[in-house]
Amino acid sequence: FLNNPYGAFSSFVDQTATANTATLMTLDTTDFSNGVSISSSKITVVNPGIYNLQFSTQFQNTDNQLQDISIWLKQNGVDIVGSTGFISIPAKAGTIEAHEIVGWNYFVSMNAGDYIEIYWSTTLASVTIQTYAAGTGPVRPSTASVVATLSFVSALN
C-alpha cells in the first residue's frame, strides 16, 4: 500500500486586506491530513518531496470600479519567485456585488519541515475574500472562503 502525504484545508472566515498590503490568506480547518498540517495558515510537510499545491479563493468586490488582486506564495517566509498571479475582479452591478472564484495550482519542492503560505493584496479594501451561508432557491451548500490542498507528487531527486 502506498502512503502518500496529503492535506486538505479550508476557511469559513471572511477575510479583508488593507489596500496594497501583503495579507496572509487564512486557513483554519483541516479537512483531511496525512503528513501535511496547518498552523497559523502555514501548510507544513513532514516528508521531503515535490508537492502539488492547489487552492481556490472566493473574492467579492463591493466597489463601483474594477479592482486588481495579486496572489503569490511564500515558502518558509520567503517569496517564491515567479509565483505571483494577477486578476481583475469586475465592479459591482448596481446593488449586486461582483463575485469571482479563482483557482490555481503549483508544483513546489519541499524539504521536511518546510511550509507554504498563500498571500494576496488588492488595490482597494472593498475587495474581500468571502464565505457564504447555505442558500435556498435553489438549495445549495455553504461556500468556503479559501480551500487549499497539498499532495505529494514525487520524492526529491
Side-chain angles (χ1 to χ4, degrees), residues 44 122-123:
T44 304
T122 178
T123 50

Side-chain angles (χ1 to χ4, degrees), residues 64-104:
N64 291 318
Q65 300 293 317
L66 174 140
Q67 298 299 325
D68 291 329
I69 301 165
S70 300
I71 302 171
W72 67 97
L73 304 177
K74 288 189 178 196
Q75 185 170 5
N76 301 323
V78 177
D79 292 335
I80 296 178
V81 174
S83 69
T84 300
F86 295 92
I87 63 165
S88 295
I89 186 167
K92 73 176 185 177
T95 60
I96 301 172
E97 292 89 6
H99 306 276
E100 189 160 327
I101 192 164
V102 176
W104 289 332

Side-chain angles (χ1 to χ4, degrees), residues 3-87:
N3 186 12
N4 289 329
Y6 59 86
F9 313 102
S10 58
S11 176
F12 285 86
V13 175
D14 293 342
Q15 302 180 39
T16 60
T18 301
N20 302 306
T21 302
T23 305
L24 178 63
M25 284 191 194
T26 298
L27 292 166
D28 55 11
T29 301
T30 299
D31 301 312
F32 304 98
S33 181
N34 176 35
V36 179
S37 61
I38 57 167
S39 177
S40 301
S41 300
K42 296 176 181 176
I43 306 171
T44 304
V45 300
V46 172
N47 301 305
I50 306 296
Y51 286 81
N52 183 10
L53 172 67
Q54 298 184 45
F55 65 91
S56 64
T57 308
Q58 179 67 63
F59 287 103
Q60 175 178 284
N61 183 11
T62 59
D63 190 58
N64 291 318
Q65 300 293 317
L66 174 140
Q67 298 299 325
D68 291 329
I69 301 165
S70 300
I71 302 171
W72 67 97
L73 304 177
K74 288 189 178 196
Q75 185 170 5
N76 301 323
V78 177
D79 292 335
I80 296 178
V81 174
S83 69
T84 300
F86 295 92
I87 63 165

